[in-house]
Amino acid sequence: MSTIPELYNEKCHCAGCSQNDPGYSFVARRTAQHHNKRARLNAIRCERDMSTQRNMMDVDDEPILTHQPGALEELYTQTNSPVWEGASMSDTEDVSVTNDAISNGNNNDSGSNSNEISEDESEDNVIELDNNELNSEDPFATPNMPQNPVHRFIATFVVMFASHYVVDKGAVVLIEFINKLLTIYEQDFQLPLSLPGLQHMTGFSAMTKGIKIFVVHQDCHKVYEQSASVPSHCDFVKLGACSSCNCQLMKTSALGALVAKHSYLYQSVLHRLGYLDLVRGTIIDPMHNLFLGTPKRLMDRWIKDEDIQDGDFAAMQKTAETIIVPGGYTSLNSKIGKQLSYMKADVWKSWVLVYSPVLLKDVLAKDRFKNRINFVDACCLLIKPTITFDEVNTAHQFLQTFCTRCDELYNAKILTCNMHLHLHLRDTIRDFGPVYGYWLFGFERFNRLLKNLKTNRKIGFEETFMKKFIKDVHKDDLVNSFLQSTRQTSAFPLLTKLTSSFTPTTIPSIRQRTFHIQSFVEASEDPNVLVKGNEPLPPSAFPLSLKSATTMSDIHYVHLLQYYKAVYNNEQLVHFQQASESPYFVDNTITLLKYINILGQVYKGKGESGSRGSLVQAKFIRSTEYEHIETCFPTFSSDDFQCVLPVHRIMLEVATAEHTTHRKVKKMLVIPLPKKQYI
């Protein structure tokens, strides 16, 4: 067994061991050989300018003296050795500079200690990443990490541990401690002595490279990047202004330095995706863009220019009270008389689509009203759940005409960023689909549900709400599963009372022919298509919400009999009272519907919503007197067999309003509304 003086009998004059008064240190012979190799390696690096590859270069092997077997056996029985059991610390079978002392573990003795002092590598490790690296497929690449997996693990563990538990000063002490252990176990690998250097080597600093500081002016909203030169005063020229904003951006701190008055940080890993276009990938919310921005701004402008005065609002309120608004749209009640103040998006939606085409006709100037109709027509197309590319292009043309005419009819200040975004809605719908998939009406309504949710005002609300939400969702699934497995439709009314909202997914009791969506749509758009009334209904209509069976009135029955004779071209159909005289007769027993869901559009029967049902339009009657709306007689035509209308013929739902012309003639205005079709 060798003694301690025999182990440390070699003088080492390397840069690390010469930092004392004698200018050298006594180390083990093998450690001195390692230090000589390191010195030669550093010389090669300087010649080849490869300082970042110091742990990856191989040099010629030199003979290594071993100690007595007892020391080697003692080393392999230690539990705190940094060597992983069953794995060599060498990357290859060849002896390398980084770990040649342990690549042949059966012949080496790693139990000796040394007075080795590691070098400061903090400056070598502070390197900035360029933009190409940030946009690469691997933004967190670590070319400076050692190839040895154990060394990589040590570096990664230290930087993660330091970031989680240790402050910066403590991290330096931890790094020195790890380096000392690596020296004790004679590893040719050292961690950078500074925390920034270690973070750069492991790729940890790349995570925060995208953080930027911006200086912003809160009035005109111009943004300056702090890394660039920021002026002391804002140089942004507002639209229509003759001079710049010239507001102060910087202020003097207590230490006398110029600092930003308002600044913010920004960082997003999405910037690292080279294929991502953030402008194209940002969705414009149609709810805010169409219904909370432009309508209110125009109304404020009309009031300011006195295009609409107090007397006009009173007259419009009186007309609005005659408008019959269908379900799904909000009635404005007294909002119009109060100059449309404090309205939410769903109320503005009703104003744009239902009320404004009627009420603004006799109030606004002709050119301004016509331009307003361009906006209404665009909204009617854009808010449809199913929309074609041609309809998207048509809506874009309406919006483009609207914005261009606004610039001509009003001064430039009427134009806003929100109105500019109207012209980007076409790209949003092309990229992300119809607006029902992402507009914020559902989000806002869900916020209202959260606000009205009763709680015990204790902690844990999120968990309580999530449990309740999941249970409500699975209640509907449970009912659907029951109907699919048992086909017990008689239990459907009782089970639906126990669910918050239920939409069945199957048709358990009615067998019908295959439903074809194209044929169904053509029946409503082409009056030349023969429709008898027994054609398949869409799956959304089932199960039907039926009332109890009843008998038709004699007057209505006569019309139904005539209708069947016409569509079936069969004059042999007879009255039910004459059923014994012919094999073909029409029964007078019918079952009324409370409502029917046609591709997402719900049509209600008479008496289910107040005293009226849904008003529908089966065919357009063109008129040149009004833009966007139809002018009809004030009363409905007399009943006959043509009043029998199969649901397949329904074109869309309408709103109606009473109107008196300048000649005191009463008319009924029919306002067509966007048709909902979830295909």
Side-chain angles (χ1 to χ4, degrees), residues 588-605:
N588 68 333
T589 302
I590 60 172
T591 303
L592 299 178
L593 292 177
K594 296 180 180 179
Y595 61 87
I596 187 170
N597 187 324
I598 304 295
L599 297 176
Q601 180 74 61
V602 178
Y603 300 96
K604 297 181 179 180

Side-chain angles (χ1 to χ4, degrees), residues 68 75 84 116 122 180 209 357 411 458 502 522 589 678:
Q68 297 183 8
L75 170 65
W84 286 351
E116 178 184 3
S122 60
K180 179 61 66 176
K209 279 290 184 180
N411 56 37
K458 296 182 179 180
F502 174 69
E522 289 178 357
T589 302
Y678 292 92

Side-chain angles (χ1 to χ4, degrees), residues 1 68-81 109 111:
M1 177 80 60
Q68 297 183 8
L72 182 63
E73 295 173 359
E74 181 180 357
L75 170 65
Y76 275 78
T77 58
Q78 293 178 353
T79 58
N80 58 349
S81 173
D109 183 4

Side-chain angles (χ1 to χ4, degrees), residues 430-446:
R430 283 177 172 177
D431 293 339
F432 301 99
V435 299
Y436 273 71
Y438 45 85
W439 69 0
L440 294 182
F441 274 111
F443 180 82
E444 297 292 347
R445 290 176 183 137
F446 200 73

Side-chain angles (χ1 to χ4, degrees), residues 530-601:
L530 178 62
V531 177
K532 298 179 179 180
N534 63 343
E535 290 78 8
L537 292 173
S540 62
F542 297 94
L544 297 173
S545 179
L546 304 176
K547 295 183 179 180
S548 58
T550 184
T551 57
M552 296 184 66
S553 66
D554 294 338
I555 298 177
H556 292 165
Y557 176 80
V558 172
H559 301 328
L560 182 64
L561 178 60
Q562 292 178 352
Y563 171 80
Y564 280 134
K565 286 182 178 181
V567 297
Y568 285 98
N569 193 21
N570 187 354
E571 293 295 333
Q572 296 182 3
L573 288 173
V574 298
H575 199 281
F576 72 93
Q577 295 177 350
Q578 302 171 351
S580 59
E581 301 177 4
S582 174
Y584 308 105
F585 72 95
V586 178
D587 195 358
N588 68 333
T589 302
I590 60 172
T591 303
L592 299 178
L593 292 177
K594 296 180 180 179
Y595 61 87
I596 187 170
N597 187 324
I598 304 295
L599 297 176
Q601 180 74 61

Side-chain angles (χ1 to χ4, degrees), residues 445-458 460-470 472:
R445 290 176 183 137
F446 200 73
N447 283 341
R448 183 177 60 187
L449 295 177
L450 288 176
K451 182 179 179 181
N452 297 331
L453 191 64
K454 296 181 179 179
T455 65
N456 55 7
R457 299 184 179 275
K458 296 182 179 180
F461 163 74
E462 295 83 1
E463 181 181 2
T464 301
F465 173 76
M466 183 56 65
K467 288 181 179 180
K468 184 179 184 302
F469 179 79
I470 296 298
D472 288 342

